Amino acid sequence: MARTDEAFMLLALAAADDAAKVGDVPVGAIAVVEGEVVARAHNQKEALVDPTAHAEILLLRDVAERLGRWRLPDVTVYCTMEPCPMCAGAMVQARIGRLVYAVDDLRAGAAGTVFDIVQSTVLNHRVAVTRGVLAEDARAQLDAFFAAVRARRQAKLETAGRAEQTPSQMADTGQNGAESGAESGKL
């Protein structure tokens, strides 16, 4: 039974969840050859302390090693987010046959949104692209991750701000758990 683009993208979304669980931006990717998944990766920039540890780069390295070759024209890459210039360039270099991605990257997308490295006529290879597969799911995943990051950052700032206050400042703002004199009606 042939799997659909949506079924493969669900696997990439699951890989993206793995990235989010360890504090990395939830981008996941899978590689498919002749209808079979041959590799899976997710962002690991934070975990590996490596600015190049994007899901797509890690995936291409793994696929090339597993297949024993760097030319990958029979590979379809499913990625939850449009590749950046680095990743798109690596896909061209690997001669990837097809790229399927979920959500556009409005800041650095290099598969047609900001740049179009994968279809550039000045390069020696062009990658076929399918855009928007399960885009709403991928967008929701990214939005939830960044909302949690912002909430943690805000909580940290608030905690740091309270730690810098003196007990009398905390009493004046009611942050010490007791009412200030004005609030209790004793003034």
Side-chain angles (χ1 to χ4, degrees):
M1 176 183 199
R3 293 192 199 176
T4 64
D5 284 347
E6 290 80 10
F8 287 124
M9 189 60 72
L10 286 171
L11 297 174
L13 287 164
D17 277 337
D18 293 343
K21 288 175 186 172
V22 296
D24 254 301
V25 175
V27 175
I30 66 163
V32 175
V33 176
E34 297 179 3
E36 297 297 322
V37 176
V38 295
R40 177 183 197 267
H42 59 81
N43 272 2
Q44 294 189 54
K45 287 171 55 174
E46 300 296 331
L48 298 177
V49 191
D50 179 354
T52 69
H54 291 201
E56 303 93 323
I57 296 295
L58 298 172
L59 182 79
L60 292 175
R61 289 176 182 160
D62 189 18
V63 171
E65 185 175 330
R66 286 174 191 253
L67 298 179
R69 55 189 163 89
W70 64 268
R71 288 182 184 90
L72 307 171
D74 54 338
V75 173
T76 298
V77 171
Y78 290 83
C79 190
T80 58
M81 182 179 233
E82 180 181 10
C84 72
M86 174 182 67
C87 295
M91 288 180 187
V92 170
Q93 290 299 312
R95 315 306 197 262
I96 292 296
R98 182 172 176 236
L99 164 66
V100 180
Y101 73 85
V103 66
D104 291 336
D105 180 349
L106 301 178
R107 292 186 177 161
T113 301
V114 178
F115 308 103
D116 199 359
I117 292 172
V118 297
Q119 289 287 305
S120 175
T121 58
V122 299
L123 298 174
N124 63 338
H125 178 76
R126 280 167 285 297
V127 178
V129 178
T130 302
R131 298 168 170 81
V133 176
L134 298 182
E136 290 179 13
D137 296 16
R139 174 56 52 209
Q141 189 179 50
L142 287 162
D143 288 348
F145 174 81
F146 285 113
V149 167
R150 285 189 296 275
R152 283 192 303 273
R153 185 179 305 136
Q154 185 62 35
K156 191 175 183 179
L157 289 172
E158 289 172 3
T159 301
R162 283 194 292 269
E164 294 174 4
Q165 291 181 340
T166 65
S168 63
Q169 288 173 322
M170 289 177 73
D172 288 344
T173 61
Q175 291 180 351
N176 65 353
E179 294 178 325
S180 69
E183 292 170 334
S184 65
K186 295 181 183 174
L187 291 180

mmCIF file of all heavy atoms in Angstrom, residues 26 45 53-54 56 92 94 97 101 118 121 127 186:
data_model
loop_
_atom_site.group_PDB
_atom_site.id
_atom_site.type_symbol
_atom_site.label_atom_id
_atom_site.label_comp_id
_atom_site.label_asym_id
_atom_site.label_seq_id
_atom_site.Cartn_x
_atom_site.Cartn_y
_atom_site.Cartn_z
ATOM 1 N N PRO A 26 11.052 22.829 16.871
ATOM 2 C CA PRO A 26 10.471 21.597 16.334
ATOM 3 C C PRO A 26 10.422 21.536 14.815
ATOM 4 O O PRO A 26 9.428 21.866 14.179
ATOM 5 C CB PRO A 26 9.067 21.572 16.935
ATOM 6 C CG PRO A 26 8.738 23.006 17.143
ATOM 7 C CD PRO A 26 10.045 23.675 17.496
ATOM 8 N N LYS A 45 20.359 21.574 17.180
ATOM 9 C CA LYS A 45 21.307 22.670 17.367
ATOM 10 C C LYS A 45 21.656 22.874 18.839
ATOM 11 O O LYS A 45 22.819 23.046 19.189
ATOM 12 C CB LYS A 45 20.743 23.967 16.784
ATOM 13 C CG LYS A 45 20.744 23.999 15.275
ATOM 14 C CD LYS A 45 19.999 25.181 14.702
ATOM 15 C CE LYS A 45 20.473 26.505 15.207
ATOM 16 N NZ LYS A 45 19.841 27.648 14.529
ATOM 17 N N ALA A 53 23.375 21.821 12.882
ATOM 18 C CA ALA A 53 22.624 20.604 13.219
ATOM 19 C C ALA A 53 21.129 20.768 12.955
ATOM 20 O O ALA A 53 20.292 20.481 13.810
ATOM 21 C CB ALA A 53 22.897 20.187 14.658
ATOM 22 N N HIS A 54 20.806 21.230 11.756
ATOM 23 C CA HIS A 54 19.411 21.316 11.325
ATOM 24 C C HIS A 54 18.940 19.918 10.951
ATOM 25 O O HIS A 54 19.739 19.063 10.541
ATOM 26 C CB HIS A 54 19.282 22.216 10.106
ATOM 27 C CG HIS A 54 19.539 23.656 10.383
ATOM 28 N ND1 HIS A 54 19.081 24.652 9.556
ATOM 29 C CD2 HIS A 54 20.207 24.291 11.384
ATOM 30 C CE1 HIS A 54 19.448 25.826 10.026
ATOM 31 N NE2 HIS A 54 20.143 25.624 11.137
ATOM 32 N N GLU A 56 17.462 18.781 8.367
ATOM 33 C CA GLU A 56 17.754 18.382 6.993
ATOM 34 C C GLU A 56 19.220 17.978 6.807
ATOM 35 O O GLU A 56 19.516 17.009 6.098
ATOM 36 C CB GLU A 56 17.423 19.517 6.015
ATOM 37 C CG GLU A 56 15.996 19.999 6.086
ATOM 38 C CD GLU A 56 15.797 21.190 7.021
ATOM 39 O OE1 GLU A 56 16.456 21.251 8.088
ATOM 40 O OE2 GLU A 56 14.974 22.059 6.692
ATOM 41 N N VAL A 92 20.570 20.533 -2.911
ATOM 42 C CA VAL A 92 21.030 20.653 -4.297
ATOM 43 C C VAL A 92 22.325 19.866 -4.468
ATOM 44 O O VAL A 92 22.482 19.111 -5.431
ATOM 45 C CB VAL A 92 21.207 22.134 -4.697
ATOM 46 C CG1 VAL A 92 21.922 22.258 -6.040
ATOM 47 C CG2 VAL A 92 19.855 22.842 -4.738
ATOM 48 N N ALA A 94 23.339 17.320 -2.840
ATOM 49 C CA ALA A 94 23.062 15.881 -2.741
ATOM 50 C C ALA A 94 22.219 15.383 -3.916
ATOM 51 O O ALA A 94 21.953 14.189 -4.012
ATOM 52 C CB ALA A 94 22.357 15.577 -1.424
ATOM 53 N N GLY A 97 15.951 14.335 -5.216
ATOM 54 C CA GLY A 97 14.953 14.331 -6.280
ATOM 55 C C GLY A 97 13.752 15.199 -5.980
ATOM 56 O O GLY A 97 13.256 15.918 -6.856
ATOM 57 N N TYR A 101 7.520 19.954 1.866
ATOM 58 C CA TYR A 101 7.570 20.601 3.182
ATOM 59 C C TYR A 101 6.200 21.121 3.569
ATOM 60 O O TYR A 101 5.316 21.298 2.739
ATOM 61 C CB TYR A 101 8.653 21.669 3.251
ATOM 62 C CG TYR A 101 8.384 22.957 2.515
ATOM 63 C CD1 TYR A 101 7.654 23.987 3.104
ATOM 64 C CD2 TYR A 101 8.897 23.175 1.240
ATOM 65 C CE1 TYR A 101 7.437 25.184 2.442
ATOM 66 C CE2 TYR A 101 8.687 24.361 0.570
ATOM 67 C CZ TYR A 101 7.950 25.368 1.184
ATOM 68 O OH TYR A 101 7.736 26.548 0.525
ATOM 69 N N VAL A 118 16.660 25.874 -4.380
ATOM 70 C CA VAL A 118 16.384 24.535 -4.911
ATOM 71 C C VAL A 118 15.922 24.541 -6.366
ATOM 72 O O VAL A 118 15.982 23.505 -7.030
ATOM 73 C CB VAL A 118 15.371 23.762 -4.027
ATOM 74 C CG1 VAL A 118 15.935 23.519 -2.635
ATOM 75 C CG2 VAL A 118 14.039 24.470 -3.961
ATOM 76 N N THR A 121 18.271 28.384 -11.562
ATOM 77 C CA THR A 121 18.752 27.961 -12.881
ATOM 78 C C THR A 121 20.263 28.114 -13.024
ATOM 79 O O THR A 121 20.837 27.610 -13.990
ATOM 80 C CB THR A 121 18.048 28.755 -13.990
ATOM 81 O OG1 THR A 121 18.288 30.147 -13.782
ATOM 82 C CG2 THR A 121 16.565 28.462 -13.999
ATOM 83 N N VAL A 127 15.604 20.804 -7.544
ATOM 84 C CA VAL A 127 14.821 19.865 -6.742
ATOM 85 C C VAL A 127 13.345 20.143 -6.981
ATOM 86 O O VAL A 127 12.907 21.297 -6.901
ATOM 87 C CB VAL A 127 15.154 20.037 -5.239
ATOM 88 C CG1 VAL A 127 14.315 19.092 -4.386
ATOM 89 C CG2 VAL A 127 16.643 19.842 -4.985
ATOM 90 N N LYS A 186 -5.466 49.850 56.498
ATOM 91 C CA LYS A 186 -4.862 50.296 57.746
ATOM 92 C C LYS A 186 -4.158 51.632 57.613
ATOM 93 O O LYS A 186 -3.577 52.086 58.576
ATOM 94 C CB LYS A 186 -3.873 49.234 58.259
ATOM 95 C CG LYS A 186 -4.559 47.940 58.637
ATOM 96 C CD LYS A 186 -3.566 46.951 59.138
ATOM 97 C CE LYS A 186 -4.284 45.635 59.450
ATOM 98 N NZ LYS A 186 -3.367 44.588 59.812
#
